[in-house]
Amino acid sequence: MKSSKYPIIYHPSYDIPLPERHRFPGTKYSLLLRHLEDIGVIQNFLKYTPKPCTTENLSIAHEASYIEAIQTGNLSRENQVRLGLPWSETLRERSFTAPNGTLLAAQLALKTGIACHAAGGTHHAHWDFGAGFCVFNDLAYTARALIRMGLARRVLILDCDVHQGDGTANILSNDTNILTCSIHCAENYPIKKAVSDLDFAISRGSGDGDYLTVLRRCLSQIDRINFSPDFVLYDAAIDVHGNDKLGLLEMTSEGIFERDKVVLSHFKKKQVPIATTIGGGYGEAQQEVAQRHSIIFRAVASVFAS
Ligand SMILES: [Zn+2]
């Protein structure tokens, strides 16, 4: 399980071209990479580039006509509004590539114990429509692909985004070998929550202490239900931060670092491989958002180097 460098998966197409003042920080992916270089954390990682999914690949997690609508740019007006991102060829390219980024992270993590995708966590994407800036659901896709390829038997999706992983929960509602677990803010989007296998709703305004208590309760509950995952997909989103533009929790960067270390250490101790995604993070100061997304990479360097 030990290696001096851990995989980071990134593709130059990840940035999303958006009109000025759009709520989504479209350049946070390249800014994150540059920030990891600036602070030297990138030294702990080896860079890998994913290849785009085929339509057939994606059909394990999405309906054929929806995949085709993204392929051709023929989204209905209603689906365009739900998605919240304007269609473009770049959006198509990155949408077909990012799910394989998470899958590549998972495949590499099987060898190294840990691998990190510098994108992913698009958990609001449903079977037949995208929503909340999420086109395809990389978490549902990767979990199902791992099982179909015989690379895992029981996958845990631990979603720590401030928003509930409603798309993931719905797509996987009948997959008994995939445990969906969401820790989110009760008052955040989506207003109408889906039913994950395990849901932990935290009240608006809660900070590090409350959050870490719930996280520890969640991990011990996963232990108690005897699911024993042999693979973990961890959505290490940073929209739980007090300065996040959309999230209603009040965590600090130190609290998020602690959250990530608790999760990573827990599964490292059990020798369960983990693939991480960056998930949600919002704000007009895209550099600050990118810096917050570096927390999971710093936590990996800290936990796995020791
Ligand atoms: Zn979110």
Short mmCIF file of all heavy atoms in Angstrom, two decimals, residues 221-270:
data_model
loop_
_atom_site.label_atom_id
_atom_site.label_comp_id
_atom_site.label_asym_id
_atom_site.label_seq_id
_atom_site.Cartn_x
_atom_site.Cartn_y
_atom_site.Cartn_z
N GLN A 221 -21.04 4.21 12.58
CA GLN A 221 -22.27 3.55 12.10
C GLN A 221 -21.96 2.66 10.89
O GLN A 221 -22.48 1.55 10.77
CB GLN A 221 -23.33 4.58 11.73
CG GLN A 221 -24.69 3.93 11.53
CD GLN A 221 -25.82 4.94 11.55
OE1 GLN A 221 -25.70 6.02 12.14
NE2 GLN A 221 -26.91 4.62 10.89
N ILE A 222 -21.09 3.15 10.00
CA ILE A 222 -20.71 2.32 8.85
C ILE A 222 -20.04 1.03 9.34
O ILE A 222 -20.29 -0.06 8.83
CB ILE A 222 -19.78 3.11 7.89
CG1 ILE A 222 -20.56 4.25 7.23
CG2 ILE A 222 -19.17 2.19 6.82
CD1 ILE A 222 -19.70 5.26 6.50
N ASP A 223 -19.20 1.15 10.36
CA ASP A 223 -18.57 -0.04 10.95
C ASP A 223 -19.62 -0.99 11.53
O ASP A 223 -19.55 -2.20 11.34
CB ASP A 223 -17.61 0.35 12.08
CG ASP A 223 -16.31 0.96 11.54
OD1 ASP A 223 -16.06 0.82 10.33
OD2 ASP A 223 -15.58 1.58 12.33
N ARG A 224 -20.61 -0.39 12.22
CA ARG A 224 -21.61 -1.21 12.91
C ARG A 224 -22.54 -1.98 11.98
O ARG A 224 -22.95 -3.08 12.27
CB ARG A 224 -22.46 -0.33 13.84
CG ARG A 224 -21.91 -0.20 15.25
CD ARG A 224 -22.99 0.20 16.24
NE ARG A 224 -23.88 1.25 15.76
CZ ARG A 224 -23.59 2.55 15.78
NH1 ARG A 224 -22.44 2.96 16.26
NH2 ARG A 224 -24.45 3.43 15.34
N ILE A 225 -22.86 -1.36 10.83
CA ILE A 225 -23.82 -2.05 9.95
C ILE A 225 -23.17 -3.19 9.18
O ILE A 225 -23.82 -3.86 8.40
CB ILE A 225 -24.55 -1.09 8.97
CG1 ILE A 225 -23.54 -0.41 8.05
CG2 ILE A 225 -25.41 -0.09 9.71
CD1 ILE A 225 -24.20 0.40 6.95
N ASN A 226 -21.85 -3.33 9.38
CA ASN A 226 -21.20 -4.51 8.81
C ASN A 226 -21.19 -4.54 7.29
O ASN A 226 -21.31 -5.60 6.68
CB ASN A 226 -21.93 -5.78 9.31
CG ASN A 226 -21.01 -6.55 10.21
OD1 ASN A 226 -19.79 -6.36 10.15
ND2 ASN A 226 -21.58 -7.42 11.03
N PHE A 227 -21.06 -3.40 6.68
CA PHE A 227 -21.02 -3.37 5.22
C PHE A 227 -19.61 -3.76 4.72
O PHE A 227 -19.46 -4.36 3.67
CB PHE A 227 -21.41 -1.97 4.71
CG PHE A 227 -21.38 -1.82 3.22
CD1 PHE A 227 -22.38 -2.37 2.43
CD2 PHE A 227 -20.34 -1.13 2.59
CE1 PHE A 227 -22.36 -2.23 1.05
CE2 PHE A 227 -20.31 -0.98 1.21
CZ PHE A 227 -21.33 -1.53 0.44
N SER A 228 -18.59 -3.42 5.52
CA SER A 228 -17.18 -3.72 5.19
C SER A 228 -16.82 -3.41 3.74
O SER A 228 -16.60 -4.31 2.93
CB SER A 228 -16.86 -5.19 5.46
OG SER A 228 -17.08 -5.47 6.79
N PRO A 229 -16.75 -2.13 3.37
CA PRO A 229 -16.40 -1.79 1.99
C PRO A 229 -14.99 -2.26 1.64
O PRO A 229 -14.10 -2.25 2.50
CB PRO A 229 -16.46 -0.26 1.98
CG PRO A 229 -16.25 0.16 3.39
CD PRO A 229 -16.86 -0.93 4.23
N ASP A 230 -14.80 -2.69 0.40
CA ASP A 230 -13.42 -2.96 -0.03
C ASP A 230 -12.91 -1.85 -0.94
O ASP A 230 -11.81 -1.92 -1.47
CB ASP A 230 -13.28 -4.35 -0.68
CG ASP A 230 -14.25 -4.59 -1.81
OD1 ASP A 230 -14.86 -3.62 -2.29
OD2 ASP A 230 -14.39 -5.75 -2.21
N PHE A 231 -13.73 -0.80 -1.09
CA PHE A 231 -13.27 0.40 -1.79
C PHE A 231 -14.09 1.60 -1.29
O PHE A 231 -15.29 1.48 -1.04
CB PHE A 231 -13.42 0.28 -3.31
CG PHE A 231 -12.58 1.31 -4.00
CD1 PHE A 231 -11.27 1.01 -4.33
CD2 PHE A 231 -13.06 2.59 -4.24
CE1 PHE A 231 -10.44 1.99 -4.89
CE2 PHE A 231 -12.24 3.56 -4.80
CZ PHE A 231 -10.94 3.25 -5.13
N VAL A 232 -13.42 2.77 -1.18
CA VAL A 232 -14.11 3.99 -0.75
C VAL A 232 -13.92 5.10 -1.78
O VAL A 232 -12.79 5.38 -2.20
CB VAL A 232 -13.58 4.49 0.62
CG1 VAL A 232 -14.24 5.81 1.00
CG2 VAL A 232 -13.82 3.45 1.70
N LEU A 233 -15.04 5.69 -2.20
CA LEU A 233 -15.01 6.92 -3.00
C LEU A 233 -15.35 8.06 -2.04
O LEU A 233 -16.44 8.05 -1.45
CB LEU A 233 -16.05 6.86 -4.12
CG LEU A 233 -15.76 5.89 -5.26
CD1 LEU A 233 -16.98 5.80 -6.19
CD2 LEU A 233 -14.54 6.36 -6.05
N TYR A 234 -14.43 8.99 -1.89
CA TYR A 234 -14.61 10.06 -0.91
C TYR A 234 -14.76 11.41 -1.61
O TYR A 234 -13.81 11.87 -2.27
CB TYR A 234 -13.41 10.07 0.06
CG TYR A 234 -13.41 11.21 1.05
CD1 TYR A 234 -14.58 11.61 1.69
CD2 TYR A 234 -12.23 11.88 1.37
CE1 TYR A 234 -14.58 12.65 2.60
CE2 TYR A 234 -12.22 12.92 2.28
CZ TYR A 234 -13.40 13.31 2.89
OH TYR A 234 -13.39 14.35 3.79
N ASP A 235 -15.92 12.02 -1.47
CA ASP A 235 -16.14 13.36 -2.01
C ASP A 235 -15.75 14.38 -0.94
O ASP A 235 -16.50 14.63 0.00
CB ASP A 235 -17.62 13.52 -2.41
CG ASP A 235 -17.88 14.86 -3.08
OD1 ASP A 235 -16.99 15.74 -3.04
OD2 ASP A 235 -18.98 15.04 -3.65
N ALA A 236 -14.56 14.96 -1.13
CA ALA A 236 -13.99 15.86 -0.12
C ALA A 236 -14.30 17.32 -0.45
O ALA A 236 -13.41 18.18 -0.48
CB ALA A 236 -12.48 15.63 -0.03
N ALA A 237 -15.56 17.62 -0.70
CA ALA A 237 -15.96 18.97 -1.11
C ALA A 237 -15.62 20.00 -0.03
O ALA A 237 -15.58 19.67 1.16
CB ALA A 237 -17.45 18.98 -1.40
N ILE A 238 -15.45 21.24 -0.47
CA ILE A 238 -15.10 22.30 0.49
C ILE A 238 -16.19 23.36 0.61
O ILE A 238 -15.97 24.43 1.19
CB ILE A 238 -13.72 22.93 0.17
CG1 ILE A 238 -13.59 23.32 -1.31
CG2 ILE A 238 -12.60 21.97 0.51
CD1 ILE A 238 -14.00 24.70 -1.62
N ASP A 239 -17.40 23.06 0.12
CA ASP A 239 -18.48 24.05 0.27
C ASP A 239 -19.11 24.01 1.67
O ASP A 239 -20.09 24.70 1.94
CB ASP A 239 -19.54 23.95 -0.85
CG ASP A 239 -20.01 22.54 -1.13
OD1 ASP A 239 -19.68 21.64 -0.33
OD2 ASP A 239 -20.71 22.34 -2.13
N VAL A 240 -18.49 23.24 2.57
CA VAL A 240 -18.84 23.28 4.00
C VAL A 240 -18.15 24.47 4.70
O VAL A 240 -18.40 24.75 5.87
CB VAL A 240 -18.42 21.98 4.72
CG1 VAL A 240 -19.29 20.81 4.28
CG2 VAL A 240 -16.94 21.66 4.47
N HIS A 241 -17.25 25.16 3.98
CA HIS A 241 -16.46 26.25 4.56
C HIS A 241 -17.34 27.47 4.85
O HIS A 241 -18.25 27.79 4.08
CB HIS A 241 -15.34 26.63 3.58
CG HIS A 241 -14.26 27.47 4.20
ND1 HIS A 241 -14.40 28.82 4.41
CD2 HIS A 241 -13.03 27.13 4.66
CE1 HIS A 241 -13.29 29.29 4.98
NE2 HIS A 241 -12.44 28.28 5.14
N GLY A 242 -17.04 28.16 5.95
CA GLY A 242 -17.81 29.35 6.34
C GLY A 242 -17.83 30.44 5.29
O GLY A 242 -18.78 31.22 5.22
N ASN A 243 -16.79 30.53 4.46
CA ASN A 243 -16.74 31.58 3.44
C ASN A 243 -17.29 31.11 2.09
O ASN A 243 -17.21 31.84 1.12
CB ASN A 243 -15.29 32.05 3.22
CG ASN A 243 -14.78 32.82 4.43
OD1 ASN A 243 -15.57 33.24 5.27
ND2 ASN A 243 -13.47 32.98 4.52
N ASP A 244 -17.79 29.88 2.03
CA ASP A 244 -18.32 29.41 0.75
C ASP A 244 -19.58 30.20 0.40
O ASP A 244 -20.40 30.50 1.27
CB ASP A 244 -18.65 27.91 0.81
CG ASP A 244 -18.97 27.36 -0.56
OD1 ASP A 244 -18.03 26.95 -1.27
OD2 ASP A 244 -20.16 27.36 -0.93
N LYS A 245 -19.72 30.49 -0.90
CA LYS A 245 -20.84 31.33 -1.32
C LYS A 245 -22.19 30.61 -1.23
O LYS A 245 -23.22 31.24 -1.03
CB LYS A 245 -20.59 31.79 -2.76
CG LYS A 245 -21.43 32.98 -3.13
CD LYS A 245 -21.10 33.47 -4.51
CE LYS A 245 -22.07 34.59 -4.89
NZ LYS A 245 -21.94 34.96 -6.29
N LEU A 246 -22.20 29.31 -1.38
CA LEU A 246 -23.47 28.58 -1.37
C LEU A 246 -23.71 27.79 -0.09
O LEU A 246 -24.85 27.62 0.32
CB LEU A 246 -23.54 27.63 -2.58
CG LEU A 246 -23.39 28.26 -3.97
CD1 LEU A 246 -23.59 27.20 -5.05
CD2 LEU A 246 -24.37 29.40 -4.18
N GLY A 247 -22.67 27.29 0.51
CA GLY A 247 -22.82 26.42 1.68
C GLY A 247 -23.25 27.20 2.92
O GLY A 247 -22.82 28.33 3.13
N LEU A 248 -24.07 26.56 3.76
CA LEU A 248 -24.60 27.24 4.95
C LEU A 248 -23.97 26.74 6.25
O LEU A 248 -24.46 27.04 7.33
CB LEU A 248 -26.13 27.05 5.00
CG LEU A 248 -26.89 27.65 3.81
CD1 LEU A 248 -28.38 27.28 3.88
CD2 LEU A 248 -26.73 29.17 3.76
N LEU A 249 -22.90 25.96 6.14
CA LEU A 249 -22.17 25.57 7.35
C LEU A 249 -21.03 26.56 7.58
O LEU A 249 -20.75 27.41 6.73
CB LEU A 249 -21.63 24.13 7.23
CG LEU A 249 -22.71 23.04 7.13
CD1 LEU A 249 -22.06 21.66 7.06
CD2 LEU A 249 -23.69 23.11 8.30
N GLU A 250 -20.38 26.44 8.73
CA GLU A 250 -19.38 27.45 9.12
C GLU A 250 -18.06 26.79 9.46
O GLU A 250 -17.41 27.15 10.44
CB GLU A 250 -19.90 28.26 10.32
CG GLU A 250 -21.14 29.08 10.05
CD GLU A 250 -20.91 30.22 9.05
OE1 GLU A 250 -19.75 30.69 8.93
OE2 GLU A 250 -21.88 30.61 8.38
N MET A 251 -17.65 25.84 8.66
CA MET A 251 -16.37 25.18 8.98
C MET A 251 -15.19 26.08 8.60
O MET A 251 -15.28 26.94 7.73
CB MET A 251 -16.26 23.85 8.24
CG MET A 251 -17.17 22.79 8.83
SD MET A 251 -16.84 21.17 8.13
CE MET A 251 -15.42 20.65 9.12
N THR A 252 -14.06 25.83 9.29
CA THR A 252 -12.82 26.54 8.96
C THR A 252 -11.96 25.61 8.08
O THR A 252 -12.23 24.40 7.98
CB THR A 252 -12.02 26.85 10.24
OG1 THR A 252 -11.63 25.59 10.84
CG2 THR A 252 -12.86 27.64 11.24
N SER A 253 -10.92 26.18 7.50
CA SER A 253 -9.99 25.36 6.71
C SER A 253 -9.34 24.30 7.59
O SER A 253 -9.11 23.17 7.15
CB SER A 253 -8.91 26.24 6.07
OG SER A 253 -9.52 27.13 5.17
N GLU A 254 -9.05 24.65 8.84
CA GLU A 254 -8.44 23.69 9.77
C GLU A 254 -9.40 22.54 10.06
O GLU A 254 -9.00 21.38 10.15
CB GLU A 254 -8.05 24.38 11.10
CG GLU A 254 -6.94 25.41 10.99
CD GLU A 254 -7.35 26.69 10.28
OE1 GLU A 254 -8.55 27.07 10.33
OE2 GLU A 254 -6.49 27.32 9.63
N GLY A 255 -10.69 22.89 10.19
CA GLY A 255 -11.71 21.86 10.43
C GLY A 255 -11.84 20.92 9.24
O GLY A 255 -12.01 19.70 9.42
N ILE A 256 -11.76 21.45 8.04
CA ILE A 256 -11.87 20.61 6.84
C ILE A 256 -10.64 19.70 6.72
O ILE A 256 -10.75 18.53 6.38
CB ILE A 256 -12.04 21.49 5.57
CG1 ILE A 256 -13.36 22.27 5.65
CG2 ILE A 256 -12.01 20.63 4.31
CD1 ILE A 256 -13.56 23.29 4.53
N PHE A 257 -9.48 20.26 7.06
CA PHE A 257 -8.24 19.46 7.05
C PHE A 257 -8.37 18.30 8.03
O PHE A 257 -8.03 17.15 7.72
CB PHE A 257 -7.07 20.38 7.43
CG PHE A 257 -5.70 19.73 7.34
CD1 PHE A 257 -5.22 19.21 6.14
CD2 PHE A 257 -4.87 19.67 8.46
CE1 PHE A 257 -3.96 18.63 6.06
CE2 PHE A 257 -3.61 19.10 8.39
CZ PHE A 257 -3.16 18.58 7.19
N GLU A 258 -8.94 18.58 9.19
CA GLU A 258 -9.15 17.55 10.21
C GLU A 258 -10.16 16.51 9.70
O GLU A 258 -9.94 15.30 9.84
CB GLU A 258 -9.66 18.22 11.51
CG GLU A 258 -9.76 17.31 12.71
CD GLU A 258 -8.42 16.68 13.12
OE1 GLU A 258 -7.36 17.29 12.84
OE2 GLU A 258 -8.44 15.59 13.72
N ARG A 259 -11.26 16.98 9.10
CA ARG A 259 -12.27 16.07 8.53
C ARG A 259 -11.60 15.10 7.55
O ARG A 259 -11.79 13.88 7.63
CB ARG A 259 -13.34 16.89 7.78
CG ARG A 259 -14.35 16.07 7.01
CD ARG A 259 -15.12 16.89 5.96
NE ARG A 259 -14.28 17.23 4.82
CZ ARG A 259 -14.70 17.87 3.72
NH1 ARG A 259 -15.96 18.26 3.63
NH2 ARG A 259 -13.86 18.14 2.72
N ASP A 260 -10.80 15.66 6.65
CA ASP A 260 -10.17 14.81 5.63
C ASP A 260 -9.19 13.83 6.27
O ASP A 260 -9.13 12.66 5.88
CB ASP A 260 -9.46 15.68 4.59
CG ASP A 260 -10.45 16.47 3.73
OD1 ASP A 260 -11.66 16.18 3.79
OD2 ASP A 260 -10.00 17.38 2.99
N LYS A 261 -8.45 14.29 7.27
CA LYS A 261 -7.50 13.38 7.94
C LYS A 261 -8.23 12.26 8.68
O LYS A 261 -7.78 11.12 8.68
CB LYS A 261 -6.60 14.17 8.90
CG LYS A 261 -5.54 14.97 8.15
CD LYS A 261 -4.35 15.34 9.04
CE LYS A 261 -4.76 16.17 10.21
NZ LYS A 261 -3.64 16.50 11.10
N VAL A 262 -9.35 12.60 9.32
CA VAL A 262 -10.14 11.58 10.03
C VAL A 262 -10.60 10.49 9.05
O VAL A 262 -10.44 9.30 9.30
CB VAL A 262 -11.36 12.22 10.76
CG1 VAL A 262 -12.35 11.15 11.22
CG2 VAL A 262 -10.89 13.06 11.95
N VAL A 263 -11.14 10.91 7.91
CA VAL A 263 -11.65 9.95 6.92
C VAL A 263 -10.50 9.11 6.35
O VAL A 263 -10.57 7.87 6.31
CB VAL A 263 -12.39 10.68 5.76
CG1 VAL A 263 -12.72 9.71 4.63
CG2 VAL A 263 -13.66 11.35 6.29
N LEU A 264 -9.44 9.77 5.94
CA LEU A 264 -8.32 9.05 5.32
C LEU A 264 -7.68 8.07 6.30
O LEU A 264 -7.40 6.91 5.96
CB LEU A 264 -7.28 10.05 4.81
CG LEU A 264 -7.73 11.00 3.68
CD1 LEU A 264 -6.71 12.11 3.47
CD2 LEU A 264 -7.97 10.24 2.37
N SER A 265 -7.47 8.53 7.54
CA SER A 265 -6.82 7.66 8.54
C SER A 265 -7.68 6.46 8.86
O SER A 265 -7.18 5.34 9.04
CB SER A 265 -6.57 8.42 9.85
OG SER A 265 -5.90 9.61 9.60
N HIS A 266 -9.00 6.70 8.94
CA HIS A 266 -9.93 5.63 9.28
C HIS A 266 -9.81 4.46 8.30
O HIS A 266 -9.71 3.29 8.69
CB HIS A 266 -11.36 6.19 9.28
CG HIS A 266 -12.42 5.21 9.67
ND1 HIS A 266 -12.73 4.93 10.98
CD2 HIS A 266 -13.23 4.43 8.92
CE1 HIS A 266 -13.68 4.03 11.03
NE2 HIS A 266 -14.02 3.71 9.79
N PHE A 267 -9.81 4.78 7.00
CA PHE A 267 -9.80 3.70 6.00
C PHE A 267 -8.37 3.21 5.70
O PHE A 267 -8.19 2.06 5.32
CB PHE A 267 -10.54 4.14 4.73
CG PHE A 267 -12.01 4.31 5.00
CD1 PHE A 267 -12.58 5.57 5.09
CD2 PHE A 267 -12.81 3.20 5.22
CE1 PHE A 267 -13.93 5.72 5.38
CE2 PHE A 267 -14.16 3.33 5.52
CZ PHE A 267 -14.72 4.60 5.59
N LYS A 268 -7.39 4.08 5.92
CA LYS A 268 -5.99 3.63 5.76
C LYS A 268 -5.70 2.53 6.79
O LYS A 268 -5.09 1.51 6.47
CB LYS A 268 -5.03 4.81 5.96
CG LYS A 268 -3.58 4.44 5.72
CD LYS A 268 -2.64 5.54 6.17
CE LYS A 268 -1.20 5.09 6.02
NZ LYS A 268 -0.30 5.81 6.93
N LYS A 269 -6.18 2.76 8.02
CA LYS A 269 -5.97 1.80 9.10
C LYS A 269 -6.59 0.45 8.75
O LYS A 269 -6.07 -0.61 9.08
CB LYS A 269 -6.60 2.35 10.38
CG LYS A 269 -5.91 1.91 11.64
CD LYS A 269 -6.13 2.93 12.73
CE LYS A 269 -6.96 2.38 13.85
NZ LYS A 269 -7.44 3.38 14.78
N LYS A 270 -7.71 0.48 8.06
CA LYS A 270 -8.39 -0.76 7.67
C LYS A 270 -7.85 -1.31 6.35
O LYS A 270 -8.36 -2.32 5.85
CB LYS A 270 -9.89 -0.49 7.50
CG LYS A 270 -10.62 -0.15 8.77
CD LYS A 270 -12.06 0.28 8.43
CE LYS A 270 -12.84 0.71 9.64
NZ LYS A 270 -13.15 -0.39 10.57
#
